[in-house]
């Protein structure tokens, strides 16, 4: 359940959009901030706000990789595996992250501090390989640098 | 009109035609998956590659998304184009299961056809295939997502064309998934079209899965019997059982699609309790014996009671041909009551609708799809004629204004309509004067024709009728001065009835001295009839029905009547054992079990011969002559003015 206040502000957001779909990402992001991830309940609520069916919200939610339809534990690490980072050897970085956190891609570390997922190009190809933890960006990664960052973020 | 050259053939096509369609117009099929003439262009599959040798664009292009232009020189066989198509096929087949033999689509699968056509035969990909979890989509459609090639046809149809909101595409890139939010029956009453439109076996007809292959089917062009829209379809039968019903293209009528009722409701045809045995006084007899008995009893009845005590009754589902012959039979007995309707009000209404619409002012489904103003008079379209609603949606999507005239909104189910309407209390509130292509739509129950008088000239009409051939029955009734059965009975004279493919209310049989019936439907007429003759159902015979707009459409026999082989009773195996063996009977017989039936028109013709010694006259004579040569695979025939005029 969302608060009346949040509901009101989201309704306002939808009203100012030219088409409701245009406001969908904002609505989903706010609901995600509220619940921690976009729960089934949140999908239904987004649908009501936007005048879409749950399926139509799901279509959008599952298209955008920064909308999470599954619970996210701790901080989210998104590591780019698109073409520039791939040529910058992101494979090694991903392997290193997996080893350090002892998780597979999509999994959460045992201490509940991190969840590791791959992502598409973050638009910072010049700094390849790159990752984002929470909202903080890190580029020109090396295994050593990754270790330091994890230490800091933990 | 752009002129271009495709594979050395000069082609001229209307502006806006794609290169793919231009090629098709000269008989060249460019392989394609995502392209479908009824849907928006997606250019998603990349299969339709051609090479542009000269003209405004050069090199490899997607022919479905490229409008034909002057000066184009196109090669569909250039090695580069062939290679591209071959690679695309190989890529689409990477994740596809290699198990056509256990796929219900096998044999009628576009993916099979174009995989072969594209020359992909050997699998190089060694990795793991992407797999999905299927969903339960209701009792109509089986879902098998692993067979998907991401052509987006299904979602374009379901959401854009049909206005459904509970099915779509989720995920992205290698994870795209076509399904619902969660398991559950598809809500759209047009969902069955997914079966036809998916180029692979993702959606198959659950009501006929794994019963037969495409090449096993007997099928023929036919017409939907469920309402007066006259949508074109094709029943597919195997061993005397209708396994599936598929949509049949008619651009003037239903386009490419049919509603779910047309597709999935085969219960009447396949009903194991269908009357298939000729009966005299309740005892089984040969067809010929029953016909003889019918002739004798009819003759005796007329002798002792007079012809005006006899009613010959047809119906709005009877073929036009049988209706014409029934009138011929009636003409041999002066004073006999000829009926095509039971209810006087219905008869009156059907005819007044036929006569009310000025010649050329009935709108087809195609015209509905192109309308700019549509006024719907109170009716539940989704219940009555869903395809009419689907046609209106196409106009709505293109910007048409749709109004629903509803003095009392309560009774109407707006939610189900696949378009938005503006509700107005009266027809006068619809600004039809502004319309260029305005159409007024009314359901079968709409009776206030006077109220339509104010409609500006130039506006066309869709006045629905209750039965698939109500329009034809109304014409027949007028032509042959028929009376509605209730009216005939009210005169107090009627003592005998011959009911031909008519659902007679039980109370109308009370107090008769003679009742005979002929039907294929299990409607309770066989038992009380002193003589009963089984007829062949619409899918099992040929005929003509006239839809609400006055379009005569011919249907052909798809298969021969008979008890479905599956579940054939033990007596047909020459034994009375309870459990019949799993193979066809080895008892020789001239007709299939339960197959000793006639078309209704043939029955009447035989009866005329029996009674008079003269062969029945050709039905397509005189006034009806123009209807003789209707192409069952064509658009049908709008009745000429002289047939419509009273
Ligand atoms: S969908 Fe077509 S190609 Fe795929 S398994 Fe079925 S028949 Fe074969
Ligand atoms: S399910 Fe069928 S129609 Fe839909 S995208 Fe996949 S292959 Fe195309
Ligand atoms: S490819 Fe990784 S940031 Fe662009
Ligand atoms: S048919 Fe042209 S890209 Fe699919």
């Amino acid at each position: 359940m969302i608060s009346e206040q949040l509901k009101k502000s989201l309704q306002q957001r939808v009203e100012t959009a030219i088409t409701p779909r245009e406001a969908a990402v904002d609505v989903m992001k706010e609901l995600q901030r509220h619940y921690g991830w976009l729960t089934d309940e949140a999908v239904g609520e987004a649908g009501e706000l936007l005048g879409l069916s749950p399926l139509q919200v799901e279509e959008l939610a599952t298209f955008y990789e920064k909308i999470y339809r599954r619970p996210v534990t701790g901080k989210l690490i998104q590591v780019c595996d698109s073409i520039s980072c791939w040529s910058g050897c992101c494979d090694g970085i991903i392997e290193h992250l997996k080893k350090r956190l002892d998780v597979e891609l999509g999994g959460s570390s045992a201490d509940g501090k991190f969840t590791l997922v791959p992502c598409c190009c973050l638009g910072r190809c010049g700094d390849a390989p790159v990752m984002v933890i929470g909202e903080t960006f890190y580029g020109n990664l090396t295994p050593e640098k990754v270790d330091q960052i994890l230490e800091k973020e933990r | 009109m752009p002129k271009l050259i495709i594979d050395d053939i000069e082609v001229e096509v209307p502006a806006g035609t794609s290169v793919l369609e231009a090629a098709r117009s000269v008989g060249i099929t460019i392989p394609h998956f995502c392209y479908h003439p009824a849907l928006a262009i997606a250019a998603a599959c990349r299969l339709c590659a051609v090479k542009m040798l000269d003209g405004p664009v050069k090199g490899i292009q997607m022919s479905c998304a490229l409008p034909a232009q002057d000066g184009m020189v196109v090669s569909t066989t250039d090695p580069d184009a062939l290679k591209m198509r071959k690679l695309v096929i190989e890529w689409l087949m990477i994740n596809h299961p290699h198990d056509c033999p256990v796929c219900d689509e096998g044999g009628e699968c576009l993916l099979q056809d174009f995989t072969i056509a594209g020359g992909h035969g050997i699998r190089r990909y060694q990795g793991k295939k992407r797999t999905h979890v299927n969903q339960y989509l209701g009792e109509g459609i089986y879902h098998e997502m692993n067979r998907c090639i991401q052509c987006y046809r299904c979602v374009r149809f379901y959401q854009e064309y049909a206005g459904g909101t509970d099915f779509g595409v989720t995920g992205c890139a290698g994870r795209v998934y076509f399904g619902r939010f969660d398991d559950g029956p598809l809500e759209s009453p047009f969902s069955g079209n997914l079966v036809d439109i998916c180029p692979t076996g993702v959606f198959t007809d659950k009501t006929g899965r794994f019963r037969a292959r495409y090449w096993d089917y007997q099928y023929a062009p036919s017409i939907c019997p469920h309402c007066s829209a006259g949508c074109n379809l094709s029943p597919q039968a195997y061993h005397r059982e209708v396994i599936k019903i598929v949509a049949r293209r008619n651009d003037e009528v239903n386009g490419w699609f049919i509603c779910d009722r047309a597709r999935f409701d085969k219960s009447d045809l396949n009903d194991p309790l269908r009357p298939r045995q000729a009966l005299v006084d309740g005892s089984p007899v040969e067809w010929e014996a029953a016909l003889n008995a019918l002739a004798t009893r009819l003759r005796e009845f007329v002798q002792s009671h007079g012809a005006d005590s006899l009613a010959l009754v047809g119906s709005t589902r009877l073929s036009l041909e049988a209706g014409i012959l029934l009138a011929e039979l009636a003409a041999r007995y002066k004073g006999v009551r000829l009926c095509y309707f039971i209810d006087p009000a219905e008869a009156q209404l059907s005819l007044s609708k036929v006569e009310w619409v000025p010649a050329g002012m009935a709108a087809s489904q195609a015209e509905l799809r192109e309308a700019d103003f549509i006024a719907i008079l109170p009716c539940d379209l989704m219940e009555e004629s869903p395809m009419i609603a689907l046609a209106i949606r196409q106009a709505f999507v293109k910007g048409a204004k749709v109004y629903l005239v509803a003095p009392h909104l309560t009774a109407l189910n707006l939610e189900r309509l696949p378009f938005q309407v503006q509700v107005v209390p009266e027809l006068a509130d619809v600004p039809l004067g502004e319309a260029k292509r305005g159409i007024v739509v009314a359901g079968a129950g709409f009776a206030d024709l006077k109220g339509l008088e104010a409609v500006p000239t130039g506006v066309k009409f869709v006045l629905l009728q209750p039965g698939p051939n109500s329009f034809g029955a109304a014409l027949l009734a007028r032509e042959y001065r028929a009376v509605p059965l209730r009216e005939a009975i009210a005169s107090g004279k009627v003592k005998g009835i011959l009911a031909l493919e008519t659902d007679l209310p039980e109370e109308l049989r009370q107090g008769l001295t003679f009742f005979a019936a002929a039907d294929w439907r299990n409607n309770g007429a066989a038992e009380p009839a002193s003589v009963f003759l089984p007829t062949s159902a619409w899918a099992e015979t040929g005929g003509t029905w006239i839809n609400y707009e006055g379009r005569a459409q011919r249907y052909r026999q798809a298969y021969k009547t008979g008890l479905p082989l599956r579940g054939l009773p033990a007596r047909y195996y020459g034994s009375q054992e309870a459990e019949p063996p799993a193979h066809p009977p080895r008892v020789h017989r001239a007709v299939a079990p339960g197959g000793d039936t006639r078309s209704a028109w043939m029955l009447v013709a035989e009866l005329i011969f029996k009674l008079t010694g003269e062969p029945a006259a050709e039905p397509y004579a005189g006034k009806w002559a123009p209807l003789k040569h209707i192409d069952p695979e064509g658009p049908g025939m709008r009745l000429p003015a002289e047939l419509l005029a009273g």
Side-chain angles (χ1 to χ4, degrees):
Chain A
M1 266 267 287
I2 53 171
S3 66
E4 269 311 305
Q5 197 190 350
L6 178 56
K7 194 166 164 187
K8 274 233 173 66
S9 80
L10 289 175
Q11 273 165 345
Q12 272 165 13
R13 172 68 191 93
V14 177
E15 271 159 30
T16 55
I18 298 170
T19 67
R21 263 173 205 267
E22 186 197 299
V25 171
D26 289 352
V27 170
M28 289 192 297
K29 274 179 113 175
E30 280 310 315
L31 291 171
Q32 175 160 297
R33 211 186 306 276
H34 176 80
Y35 288 104
W37 56 290
L38 198 73
T39 58
D40 283 1
E41 189 186 0
V43 169
E45 284 163 343
E48 260 163 51
L49 285 162
L50 296 161
L52 298 174
S53 70
L55 178 267
Q56 286 170 322
V57 174
E58 180 83 334
E59 290 184 316
L60 297 167
T62 54
F63 178 82
Y64 294 107
E65 58 182 6
K66 289 181 182 57
I67 303 290
Y68 317 123
R69 285 289 281 118
R70 269 187 261 169
V72 175
T73 313
K75 286 185 178 171
L76 186 73
I77 306 177
Q78 294 175 313
V79 51
C80 172
D81 65 355
S82 289
I83 185 118
S84 304
C85 292
W86 175 74
S87 11
C89 202
C90 66
D91 285 1
I93 298 298
I94 294 174
E95 280 316 306
H96 186 75
L97 277 162
K98 278 165 50 175
K99 208 163 77 211
R100 274 286 168 276
L101 299 169
D102 192 21
V103 293
E104 283 303 314
L105 285 176
S108 304
S109 58
D111 59 6
K113 290 248 159 71
F114 295 107
T115 296
L116 177 66
V117 294
C119 73
C120 278
C121 178
L122 290 162
R124 295 287 289 269
C125 309
D127 301 330
V130 306
M131 68 176 176
V132 167
I133 301 186
E135 313 240 305
T136 320
F137 173 85
Y138 299 98
N140 296 312
L141 299 175
T142 59
E144 297 72 41
K145 222 168 147 188
V146 166
D147 288 346
Q148 288 164 16
I149 295 167
L150 288 182
E151 213 37 60
K152 189 183 101 201
E153 289 277 357
R154 198 175 285 273
Chain B
M1 296 246 294
K3 263 193 205 150
L4 64 167
I5 295 170
I6 304 176
D7 291 350
D8 300 327
I9 305 172
E10 236 181 80
V11 192
E12 190 170 353
V13 288
T17 310
S18 64
V19 170
L20 187 143
E21 278 298 346
R24 183 133 73 180
S25 73
V26 289
I28 301 168
T29 302
I30 300 171
H32 58 275
F33 288 129
C34 67
Y35 173 74
H36 190 288
L39 305 178
I41 302 291
C45 73
R46 318 311 285 174
L47 181 63
C48 62
V50 293
K51 184 141 168 204
M52 309 301 290
L53 303 177
D54 204 355
V57 269
K58 297 252 173 59
I60 294 286
Q61 296 288 336
M62 292 304 125
S63 60
C64 69
L66 185 66
Q69 290 165 54
D70 262 327
M72 283 180 161
V73 180
V74 186
S75 169
T76 70
T77 55
D78 183 275
D80 286 352
L82 290 184
K83 181 162 180 221
M84 166 91 178
R85 298 210 292 262
K86 189 169 174 185
L87 290 173
V88 167
I89 283 285
E90 181 172 10
W91 159 62
L92 289 175
M93 285 302 292
I94 275 182
N95 286 311
H96 195 87
H98 283 199
D99 61 355
C100 301
V102 298
C103 173
D104 193 45
E105 187 85 359
E108 46 187 322
C109 175
L110 221 53
L111 184 58
Q112 281 185 324
D113 292 352
F114 289 145
T115 301
I116 304 295
H120 169 61
I122 293 174
R123 184 176 185 80
R124 290 188 291 171
Y125 175 69
Q126 297 292 322
K128 274 196 179 159
K129 295 187 191 189
R130 159 224 69 187
T131 55
H132 291 292
V133 177
N134 301 332
Q135 284 181 325
Y136 169 78
L137 298 179
E139 289 309 302
I141 291 185
Y142 193 89
H143 192 215
E144 231 166 73
M145 246 316 279
N146 287 350
R147 306 193 187 279
C148 177
I149 55 165
Q150 304 90 31
C151 72
Y152 289 73
R153 273 190 188 191
C154 53
V155 57
R156 279 178 289 154
F157 170 77
Y158 199 91
Q159 291 204 12
E160 290 170 28
Y161 197 96
T165 58
D166 63 316
F167 170 93
V169 51
T170 58
C172 68
R175 297 179 290 118
V176 281
Y177 185 88
F178 297 82
R180 278 172 45 91
F181 184 67
D182 44 19
D183 283 29
L186 291 168
E187 287 163 11
S188 168
F190 309 104
S191 64
N193 292 298
L194 296 181
V195 173
D196 291 352
I197 212 165
C198 175
T200 80
V202 177
F203 307 106
T204 46
D205 185 337
K206 214 183 235 182
T207 65
R209 241 165 88 83
F210 297 130
R211 295 293 316 285
R213 286 292 182 203
Y214 190 63
W215 51 81
D216 295 324
Y217 294 138
Q218 292 177 289
Y219 56 93
S222 196
I223 306 295
C224 178
H226 292 293
C227 82
S228 67
C231 297
N232 291 206
L233 45 73
S234 185
Q236 300 182 321
Y238 179 60
H239 287 169
R240 306 188 292 267
E241 180 183 352
V242 177
I243 306 289
K244 290 174 186 167
I245 293 176
V246 295
R248 195 162 59 80
R249 181 180 181 184
N250 183 335
D251 288 344
E252 294 300 315
V253 186
N254 50 312
W256 292 78
F257 308 113
I258 53 175
C259 71
D260 287 358
R261 199 192 312 161
R263 183 181 305 267
F264 295 128
D265 190 355
K266 305 170 283 224
S267 50
D268 265 12
L269 291 170
N270 290 337
D271 186 351
L273 298 177
R274 241 178 83 173
R276 298 176 183 276
Q277 175 63 52
L279 303 167
V280 172
D281 299 324
S283 309
V285 294
E286 297 278 297
W287 168 275
E288 196 63 24
L291 190 71
N292 284 333
L294 176 60
T296 313
R297 290 182 189 193
L298 266 180
R299 206 179 283 132
E300 284 170 7
F301 177 84
V302 170
Q303 263 159 20
S304 51
H305 295 82
D308 57 353
S309 307
L310 178 67
L312 302 177
V313 190
S315 72
T316 59
R317 63 179 165 97
L318 187 65
S319 71
L320 187 73
E321 290 79 356
I324 296 172
L325 286 165
L326 196 63
E328 197 193 324
L329 176 62
R332 316 254 168 160
Y333 291 103
K334 209 167 161 30
V336 83
R337 321 287 173 125
L338 174 64
C339 315
Y340 294 102
F341 290 89
I342 289 171
D343 208 47
E346 185 187 325
Q348 170 64 41
L349 191 55
S350 275
L351 182 60
S352 39
K353 283 183 180 168
V354 166
E355 295 186 331
W356 198 87
V357 178
M361 294 315 275
S364 64
Q365 286 186 48
E367 286 169 296
L368 260 183
R369 291 192 284 270
E370 297 298 328
D372 63 350
F373 269 80
I374 297 171
I376 307 170
L377 294 162
C379 67
D380 191 348
L381 267 189
M382 298 306 271
E383 194 49 47
E384 227 178 271
S385 271
M387 286 300 290
I388 298 294
L390 191 61
I392 295 175
R393 174 172 166 84
Q394 306 321 307
F396 169 77
V397 169
K398 285 179 225 155
K401 297 224 161 56
V402 187
Y403 296 85
L404 182 72
V405 181
H408 326 283
L409 197 53
T410 39
L412 297 165
N413 200 341
L414 288 190
E415 287 261 299
R416 289 170 63 204
L417 289 175
F419 47 80
Q420 281 159 22
V421 293
Q422 208 168 310
V423 180
V424 291
E426 279 179 54
L427 184 55
D429 300 319
V430 182
L432 279 168
E434 295 169 29
K436 287 200 190 66
R437 296 175 308 281
I439 296 176
V440 174
V441 179
F446 175 78
D448 175 27
L449 291 172
K450 272 231 159 306
L452 295 181
E453 271 162 18
V455 172
T457 43
V459 171
K460 295 195 170 187
F461 295 92
V462 170
L463 303 184
L464 294 172
Q465 297 266 7
N469 193 39
S470 288
F471 198 107
L475 289 183
L476 289 167
R478 181 181 66 187
E479 177 74 11
Y480 301 111
R481 298 174 202 288
V483 287
L485 182 61
R486 275 189 204 282
E487 204 176 298
I489 288 180
S491 73
K493 279 227 111 193
V494 174
K495 286 277 165 291
I497 288 181
L498 168 60
L500 197 55
E501 297 189 349
T502 299
D503 303 302
L504 219 54
E506 211 183 305
E507 87 262 14
L508 296 186
R509 292 198 301 260
Q510 305 302 321
L512 296 178
T513 44
F514 170 68
F515 174 63
D519 213 325
W520 58 270
R521 221 187 223 180
N522 175 23
N523 61 0
E527 263 169 46
S530 75
V531 179
F532 178 81
L533 289 154
T535 58
S536 311
W538 55 278
E540 302 155 359
T541 180
T544 306
W545 280 331
I546 306 179
N547 80 349
Y548 72 85
E549 41 158 338
R551 180 186 302 274
Q553 300 191 100
R554 181 125 322 140
Y555 49 94
R556 280 264 155 85
Q557 179 186 40
Y559 62 102
K560 273 200 182 147
T561 322
L563 272 165
L565 190 57
R566 184 168 79 150
L568 200 61
R571 63 179 186 280
Y572 290 103
Y573 291 85
S575 85
Q576 293 297 334
E577 284 162 39
E579 269 302 295
H583 57 76
R586 300 205 175 99
V587 182
H588 296 284
R589 46 171 72 239
V591 280
D596 200 8
T597 65
R598 302 285 187 281
S599 310
W601 67 267
M602 203 186 282
L603 184 160
V604 184
E606 285 183 13
L607 189 58
I608 291 175
F609 185 66
K610 281 256 144 73
L611 287 167
T612 67
E614 291 164 38
E618 139 102 46
Y620 309 117
K623 196 170 185 174
W624 310 108
L627 299 183
K628 183 159 184 166
H629 301 289
I630 297 175
D631 178 5
E633 298 190 50
M637 187 180 135
R638 278 285 189 94
L639 293 186
E642 66 270 21
L643 259 172
L644 291 172

